[in-house]
Amino acid sequence: MKENRRTFLKAFGLGSGAILSNPGFAFDTSGTNLEDIKSNLDVFARRQMETDVLIAGGGMSGICAALAAARNGAKVILIQNRSRLGGNASSEIRMHISGSSTLGQGWRETGILEELMLTEAAVNQQTCYEVFDYVLYDKVFSEKNITLLLDTMLFDVSTEGNRVSMIKAYCSQTEELYEISAKLFSDCTGDGTLAAIAGAEFMRGREAKSKWNESLGQDQADDVTMGSSLMFQAQKHDRPMPFVAPSWARKYTFTDFVHRRISAYDYGYWWLELGGRVDIVKDIINDGQRLRDELMAVMFGVWDYIKNSGNHPDSENWALSWFGMIPGKRESRRIVGDYIMVQRDTQTAPLFEDRVAYGGWPLDDHLPEGMDDTSQKPNRAIHLKGPYSIPMRCLYSKSYENLFMAGRNISVSHVALSSCRVMATCATLGQAAGTAMAYCLDNSITPAILCNTTQHIQKLQQILLRQDQSILGVQNNDENDLARKASVRASDEAPDHPASKVIDGYNRDVRDGNTHQWQASMNGGEPWIELSWDNAQTLSTVECTFDTGLNRYLRISPSQAVLAMNQVRGPQPETVSDYKLEAIHNGKTVYEKFVTGNFLRKVVHAFPTVKADAIRLTVQKTHGDELAKIFEIRCYQA
Amino acid sequence: MSAYAFIFPIFSSNSQSIEEGHYQQEEVFIHQAKGSAEAEVKLLSDQSGNPVMYTSHLISAVCSDGICKPIDIHLYWDLLGKFYRYQTSDEEELTKFDHEPFTEEDHARLHEILSDENSILQDYEVEDLIDTDRKLHSDEIDGVTGATNITFRDASVEGAMYTVYTLWHFINGDVRNKIFAHTKSLLSESLIRYMLQSEKGDYHNFIFNNLSDSQRKKFAPEIISLISSKDIYTPHFAIQQLTDDVLADSIHQAAVLEQFASVPPVVQNSLLARIESQPIYNVGIRALLESVPQLASNQLDRVFLIIGRNKASIDKLNMKALKNLTLQPEKDFSYFAERILDQVSDSSNP
């Protein structure tokens, strides 16, 4: 009789790191026969894989890291321990993506995240959460340099000296055991699992005020973190929908909600939170399972209160339509990098030389007790003056020279994390890390050398900027951008928005008192803008950055109120929809491309190399705006 | 979003000023705030000796860009250390940039900021609040000062930021803890009674958090009358203070339930939850029955469940009331009343 799966896994090192090194202990029977093990391999397939970049974790950070690395030429394997991508943003947890839009200063995140959000808004008019999962899957799956492994759990990491060499993962759905070697690794697990197994240095809990002079720190350091939440959705029906609470639901009364507002019934509440005082990462078997059960009791208790206390009579026709069973985690480990970002960095916003992303969410620390103590406020959010920069030195481990990280497990203090943990910021960190990984591979350098070399860092920043990642105080300095040397004119220019703005180095508004886009009226016909050179240029790429209303929000949410708040669902009205792009030489069109139905902010046109002395873009249609708007045009030889 | 912020009336500079002469004064401690001069904190009590509020006469200077402005201001806190109001004299006006005096609006704004104990002013150094790119040029002092950064606009009076910052920190800093501790040390029967009889939800809550069970019994009458308090939360916290002992007392129980008909539905629901498993006497049942026609349908279940559990308290008067309820068969409550009557007649059948 074949041994059961569990003992067989032990033989392959689940939790022990050993591969067939000691097959004897895995079997009860004496007289172990190696032939038995080999014959079991037709149940578990063992896959050895090799790649440039291994990314563990398919949340918003991991997705953006994978796409960024892949698009910059690296071969990527992305492993995700769920069936769907997206992590806390996916349909399984349904926390909506928050970020710097909250500043109200027009700092919505761009780059890959913007591409994902715009796509979702355009194709998911029905606002179905699983379609968001599909958008993420489509983007990742369609990227030829990415191998996506879903339902694949990381369980072991091998290291050699100060390098990570291999990870082991397991997929029960497909009965596969993976051994994945890579040149570079990125921990986007959120929990810092890869780093922890590797033995990299990490932080956990809340630091004392005195450690980094943080006014929001604790009097004494402890191992408490922010808690996790479960969300739910409900729908209104045309008749009363009774609800009977299960025996294990908690019981709440009016005074439990002194500090927690039950505003609407269609979407649950972020304050439905527990677990900051429970170490869900260390003691996963006991406390992690229990935490989820306790959160279920809280969630059903709150719903019971809404439906049956009598204090919300207007909830009578409402009924639950969905709820999460995976707690949305806010904080676990924080991997130590060459720099630890702290509270003051978010409030005074220094411009780090190696800055690669920005945050803007308030310093938003949560009461660790969560719903265990309803007499206290669930959080305190301290708003920031403006966005703050995040340095590259926070995105790689100081312990292993080829280990990167992105997401909520980066090198920051607990207080700083209370701001930079939100998913929009994490997505941009993923793009930064992924781009940096590809850069390091191309240049055969470690991230430490990258950050210590001005020339390298500036090159990386220019690559990021070109790929639409916004970095505070960094403008287009790309010497290879031929557009910067062109003369620009247009058929029409709105006041204060001349054609020359498309090469002024900025691709968005930055609140500096100046405008940074060309605008022309659509009422007079089809406005065009033209870049020209005295001498013919060799061109193969033209890149455009359009307007997508960065002063608004753009994100799917289960909440009707959030969807309606300063957000347009669908293609953004300011965005150029239809246009003609021409390359012209001596008055003759040598390349022509018609685009219809564009809804993206950043569009890259690659075409067979031509010789041209002018590039002309004719705007034929917008998604509603009466003005044609373009932030930036770039031209490249290659 | 606490209801307490709305309880306390906002005083504009037009409202009646505080005549300290009307109060007994007693210096209780000297407070030195960081970077400020020392200030004496006094307790003001009324003629009966009840503590009413704390006060301090702050004389200090606010300096910025090398220019110092004097402040001379009277500050008042309530008994728990929460900011109440301030007073300036005509000779010592508060001024803004370029010695412009505060307008009425500025005073109202300042009061609002100083009352906000969660203000963002506690999380930043004063220099951080300024936008270094935007300066205001002063003709009079021949210099420039920074304009307030947009994030802090609601937390400051433009042109008076240093004054606002200094005052906020003095008023909401450590002195609050000292005041609170001092009041706690004064807690006596009369002070407890005084605070329970006040209209401040904060005071009620403070007392509720500091009562022993025997005190809950002693102050039952005051606690019970708070069930009709207009504060959003006080009635519920008061109901939580009712011990089983107190509810078992027929006089107290009657005093509780005679308020049932006139309190808001959410308070009714809290009451019903509290008395669910308590024995209810005749008078209490009567009060519940009287309220029935006004109750929402989702409350009827619970009320009649309680009545059904206390059939022994259905005396002649209560029987009559029940029968009256059945006279409107189209109403939900009629059905519930019928069921109770059935059960009562069943049990009285030999």
Side-chain angles (χ1 to χ4, degrees):
Chain A
M1 175 176 153
K2 284 198 193 297
E3 292 302 319
N4 68 36
R5 212 172 272 191
R6 188 181 290 258
T7 50
F8 192 82
L9 280 179
K10 265 209 180 129
F12 271 79
L14 177 61
S16 75
I19 291 210
L20 293 178
S21 60
N22 189 5
F25 84 96
F27 297 94
D28 287 321
T29 54
S30 55
T32 305
N33 196 342
L34 212 56
E35 296 309 310
D36 281 346
I37 298 163
K38 284 183 185 160
S39 70
N40 276 331
L41 276 172
D42 60 9
V43 175
F44 285 92
R46 191 168 156 202
R47 307 245 185 263
Q48 288 172 323
M49 303 169 82
E50 221 179 286
T51 187
D52 293 332
V53 170
L54 180 287
I55 296 175
M60 296 313 296
S61 319
I63 291 169
C64 293
L67 287 169
R71 290 173 179 179
N72 281 288
K75 291 264 181 285
V76 177
I77 295 179
L78 173 64
I79 66 168
Q80 159 71 330
N81 66 358
R82 301 295 306 174
S83 313
R84 295 160 185 265
L85 294 168
N88 281 338
S90 78
S91 68
E92 295 196 290
I93 299 179
R94 298 195 194 189
M95 193 56 225
H96 48 227
I97 293 172
S98 295
S100 304
S101 290
T102 198
L103 289 167
Q105 299 171 15
W107 280 108
R108 187 171 91 214
E109 292 76 5
T110 52
I112 295 174
L113 178 68
E114 175 78 352
E115 179 190 335
L116 297 171
M117 298 293 101
L118 287 167
T119 306
E120 186 276 324
V123 311
N124 192 10
Q125 298 283 313
Q126 67 272 39
T127 316
C128 162
Y129 241 91
E130 287 79 359
V131 174
F132 175 58
D133 299 340
Y134 149 76
V135 168
L136 299 178
Y137 172 81
D138 180 27
K139 284 284 176 185
V140 170
F141 181 72
S142 301
E143 191 58 57
K144 60 176 169 51
N145 276 348
I146 300 178
T147 301
L148 174 63
L149 301 175
L150 294 172
D151 293 309
T152 301
M153 326 265 163
L154 168 75
F155 69 86
D156 205 2
V157 178
S158 305
T159 61
E160 275 161 19
N162 68 343
R163 292 180 65 81
V164 178
S165 54
M166 181 184 63
I167 62 124
K168 289 188 199 153
Y170 163 64
C171 178
S172 89
Q173 291 278 61
T174 62
E175 297 183 342
E176 288 173 299
L177 290 165
Y178 300 96
E179 292 163 21
I180 307 175
S181 310
K183 298 176 188 145
L184 301 179
F185 295 79
S186 183
D187 189 330
C188 297
T189 61
D191 291 334
T193 312
L194 199 166
I197 300 177
E201 196 178 322
F202 63 82
M203 306 172 274
R204 193 165 46 203
R206 304 184 297 184
E207 289 86 15
K209 283 183 169 70
S210 56
K211 180 151 191 171
W212 291 307
N213 201 19
E214 296 181 306
S215 68
L216 297 172
Q218 301 303 305
D219 292 330
Q220 274 188 329
D222 59 30
D223 56 9
V224 170
T225 65
M226 284 176 272
S228 307
S229 291
L230 277 184
M231 310 305 291
F232 67 82
Q233 279 185 268
Q235 280 175 354
K236 192 169 183 183
H237 297 261
D238 58 4
R239 61 193 191 286
M241 304 292 285
F243 173 74
V244 177
S247 60
W248 42 261
R250 292 195 185 185
K251 295 232 69 75
Y252 292 108
T253 62
F254 189 73
T255 52
D256 284 310
F257 302 99
V258 173
H259 302 297
R260 290 157 176 81
R261 217 158 75 96
I262 295 176
S263 42
Y265 306 129
D266 64 339
Y267 182 41
Y269 318 108
W270 60 262
W271 43 256
L272 221 145
E273 178 178 349
L274 279 182
R277 290 201 180 275
V278 168
D279 197 332
I280 57 173
V281 178
K282 185 171 73 182
D283 212 356
I284 276 182
I285 301 303
N286 290 328
D287 288 344
Q289 296 274 5
R290 185 171 63 80
L291 177 69
R292 182 244 297 116
D293 294 337
E294 292 291 338
L295 273 169
M296 288 284 282
V298 167
M299 182 173 63
F300 280 88
V302 169
W303 187 247
D304 178 36
Y305 171 79
I306 290 170
K307 290 291 289 176
N308 298 319
S309 68
N311 295 337
H312 290 271
D314 56 350
S315 71
E316 200 179 10
N317 288 13
W318 287 79
L320 288 175
S321 58
W322 171 87
F323 58 88
M325 283 198 72
I326 307 172
K329 289 187 210 165
R330 293 183 173 79
E331 179 180 6
S332 327
R333 298 184 185 88
R334 293 167 279 119
I335 306 162
V336 180
D338 272 348
Y339 183 78
I340 299 174
M341 197 175 72
V342 298
Q343 175 184 338
R344 200 138 178 84
D345 294 328
T346 65
Q347 291 178 296
T348 55
L351 290 174
F352 300 103
E353 202 193 336
D354 59 327
R355 59 196 185 279
V356 286
Y358 67 86
W361 186 254
L363 290 162
D364 178 14
D365 204 352
H366 286 214
L367 179 74
E369 288 80 1
M371 289 294 280
D372 276 341
D373 186 356
T374 55
S375 74
Q376 302 219 59
K377 289 196 173 125
N379 82 326
R380 177 153 186 262
I382 294 147
H383 289 264
L384 301 172
K385 290 164 77 163
Y388 58 88
S389 295
I390 303 171
M392 183 66 213
R393 281 166 296 150
C394 292
L395 305 183
Y396 62 88
S397 163
K398 68 182 265 204
S399 309
Y400 289 100
E401 66 173 28
N402 65 341
L403 174 60
F404 292 70
M405 60 268 191
R408 60 179 175 83
N409 56 3
I410 64 166
S411 182
V412 293
S413 69
H414 167 88
V415 174
L417 182 71
S418 71
S419 166
C420 69
R421 59 184 172 84
V422 288
M423 286 189 276
T425 307
C426 288
T428 63
L429 296 174
Q431 179 162 1
T435 311
M437 292 171 94
Y439 185 90
C440 286
L441 284 171
D442 283 344
N443 291 273
S444 302
I445 55 174
T446 63
I449 291 173
L450 162 66
C451 290
N452 278 318
T453 315
T454 306
Q455 211 184 17
H456 278 310
I457 265 296
Q458 286 181 348
K459 271 201 188 142
L460 174 66
Q461 288 171 333
Q462 288 299 311
I463 294 171
L464 282 167
L465 185 66
R466 180 176 172 186
Q467 294 172 355
D468 205 29
Q469 172 98 322
S470 293
I471 306 173
L472 301 178
V474 172
Q475 285 88 52
N476 181 1
N477 281 333
D478 191 347
E479 308 213 319
N480 296 325
D481 179 10
L482 299 166
R484 293 173 68 223
K485 304 181 192 123
S487 309
V488 195
R489 65 190 183 111
S491 61
D492 180 48
E493 292 170 331
D496 286 330
H497 294 84
S500 55
K501 293 289 183 180
V502 302
I503 57 170
D504 73 350
Y506 293 83
N507 61 8
R508 67 184 298 165
D509 287 325
V510 293
R511 298 199 142 225
D512 59 353
N514 295 326
T515 63
H516 294 293
Q517 60 176 213
W518 166 64
Q519 288 181 359
S521 171
M522 294 298 295
N523 290 332
E526 299 180 353
W528 51 259
I529 184 168
E530 188 179 272
L531 285 71
S532 58
W533 299 266
D534 291 334
N535 302 320
Q537 306 291 314
T538 312
L539 294 176
S540 69
T541 309
V542 173
E543 305 181 3
C544 309
T545 305
F546 299 112
D547 192 341
T548 50
L550 296 178
N551 57 308
R552 291 189 298 271
Y553 285 89
L554 184 62
R555 54 184 178 165
I556 186 173
S557 171
S559 160
Q560 289 306 310
V562 167
L563 289 173
M565 181 172 78
N566 198 20
Q567 178 168 189
V568 173
R569 295 286 299 163
Q572 304 301 291
E574 302 90 341
T575 312
V576 170
S577 167
D578 298 356
Y579 60 96
K580 178 171 71 169
L581 178 67
E582 295 166 272
I584 301 159
H585 190 211
N586 289 335
K588 244 180 40 163
T589 301
V590 294
Y591 170 76
E592 193 175 61
K593 171 85 179 168
F594 287 89
V595 175
T596 57
N598 171 60
F599 51 76
L600 293 175
R601 184 181 128 90
K602 173 84 188 186
V603 183
V604 175
H605 291 283
F607 43 85
T609 308
V610 298
K611 265 195 136 41
D613 47 43
I615 288 286
R616 181 183 280 215
L617 194 151
T618 307
V619 179
Q620 291 160 326
K621 195 158 155 282
T622 70
H623 281 288
D625 205 316
E626 286 187 343
L627 294 167
K629 295 171 173 173
I630 302 184
F631 272 115
E632 184 180 68
I633 299 178
R634 294 182 181 228
C635 303
Y636 291 88
Q637 181 175 338
Chain B
M1 189 175 112
S2 167
Y4 304 133
F6 297 100
I7 281 191
F8 210 76
I10 304 246
F11 289 82
S12 73
S13 58
N14 273 341
S15 75
Q16 206 165 19
S17 51
I18 295 175
E19 291 294 335
E20 290 190 21
H22 287 164
Y23 298 94
Q24 300 173 23
Q25 303 188 14
E26 178 202 339
E27 180 195 311
V28 289
F29 59 84
I30 298 202
H31 181 67
Q32 164 123 59
K34 180 176 75 161
S36 291
E38 274 184 3
E40 224 175 58
V41 177
K42 295 196 255 189
L43 176 62
L44 299 181
S45 306
D46 66 17
Q47 299 307 324
S48 321
N50 290 313
V52 177
M53 63 182 117
Y54 292 80
T55 182
S56 185
H57 184 189
L58 181 67
I59 302 171
S60 187
V62 171
C63 299
S64 70
D65 294 334
I67 301 151
C68 288
K69 281 189 294 202
I71 307 184
D72 186 327
I73 190 170
H74 293 256
L75 302 169
Y76 302 91
W77 296 264
D78 75 7
L79 294 176
L80 301 180
K82 194 170 176 145
F83 178 66
Y84 172 26
R85 57 172 298 182
Y86 64 84
Q87 251 171 199
T88 55
S89 60
D90 287 328
E91 301 85 48
E92 301 294 346
E93 264 282 18
L94 286 177
T95 58
K96 303 185 285 191
F97 188 64
D98 261 355
H99 297 296
E100 251 187 74
F102 268 44
T103 63
E104 278 252 342
E105 227 178 77
D106 292 332
H107 278 295
R109 180 64 169 286
L110 177 61
H111 183 94
E112 211 182 306
I113 294 166
L114 297 177
S115 305
D116 179 10
E117 52 198 18
N118 283 317
S119 174
I120 203 175
L121 292 174
Q122 67 191 280
D123 302 300
Y124 287 88
E125 305 293 327
V126 67
E127 301 79 38
D128 292 338
L129 305 180
I130 301 171
D131 232 335
T132 46
D133 318 315
R134 290 165 49 231
K135 298 271 187 187
L136 303 172
H137 181 71
S138 161
D139 296 321
E140 213 183 297
I141 60 169
D142 192 25
V144 290
T145 189
T148 312
N149 177 282
I150 183 179
T151 303
F152 307 105
R153 246 190 227 136
D154 288 339
S156 188
V157 173
E158 189 68 56
M161 204 184 50
Y162 284 90
T163 303
V164 174
Y165 188 90
T166 305
L167 282 176
W168 191 93
H169 278 271
F170 182 83
I171 288 164
N172 289 294
D174 208 36
V175 74
R176 290 188 62 149
N177 297 333
K178 288 187 182 166
I179 288 173
F180 185 87
H182 188 261
T183 297
K184 210 162 171 191
S185 74
L186 292 179
L187 264 189
S188 62
E189 237 183 74
S190 64
L191 184 55
I192 290 176
R193 199 159 272 124
Y194 172 79
M195 292 181 95
L196 284 176
Q197 287 169 342
S198 79
E199 290 190 358
K200 297 187 65 157
D202 278 344
Y203 284 5
H204 306 152
N205 238 37
F206 169 68
I207 296 300
F208 289 159
N209 288 336
N210 284 289
L211 286 178
S212 65
D213 267 355
S214 67
Q215 283 174 318
R216 287 187 179 98
K217 222 171 162 175
K218 176 183 266 187
F219 297 104
E222 287 83 2
I223 293 171
I224 290 171
S225 52
L226 284 175
I227 293 173
S228 291
S229 164
K230 293 287 170 257
D231 181 281
I232 297 179
Y233 295 104
T234 291
H236 303 270
F237 288 119
I239 291 168
Q240 284 174 6
Q241 296 293 309
L242 300 173
T243 61
D244 288 348
D245 265 0
V246 163
L247 283 173
D249 177 302
S250 58
I251 305 216
H252 286 323
Q253 193 190 97
V256 168
L257 288 176
E258 73 195 13
Q259 302 176 74
F260 185 82
S262 56
V263 293
V266 288
V267 179
Q268 288 175 332
N269 293 334
S270 284
L271 273 171
L272 290 174
R274 180 64 190 89
I275 64 172
E276 227 163 37
S277 27
Q278 290 284 133
I280 308 297
Y281 310 123
N282 307 8
V283 175
I285 297 294
R286 191 129 56 247
L288 291 176
L289 284 171
E290 267 163 20
S291 72
V292 160
Q294 276 75 49
L295 293 182
S297 50
N298 62 17
Q299 293 175 298
L300 291 176
D301 264 310
R302 303 167 80 176
V303 166
F304 280 98
L305 199 66
I306 292 168
I307 295 173
R309 285 196 182 128
N310 289 279
K311 290 197 259 290
S313 300
I314 300 177
D315 57 13
K316 258 192 169 141
L317 277 175
N318 288 336
M319 275 294 271
K320 193 156 172 231
L322 275 167
K323 286 190 176 132
N324 276 341
L325 290 176
T326 66
L327 297 179
Q328 297 178 72
E330 73 282 6
K331 301 273 190 191
D332 283 343
F333 57 69
S334 163
Y335 167 83
F336 284 101
E338 293 257 12
R339 297 279 76 70
I340 300 285
L341 286 169
D342 281 347
Q343 290 165 30
V344 169
S345 63
D346 279 347
S347 60
S348 68
N349 269 346

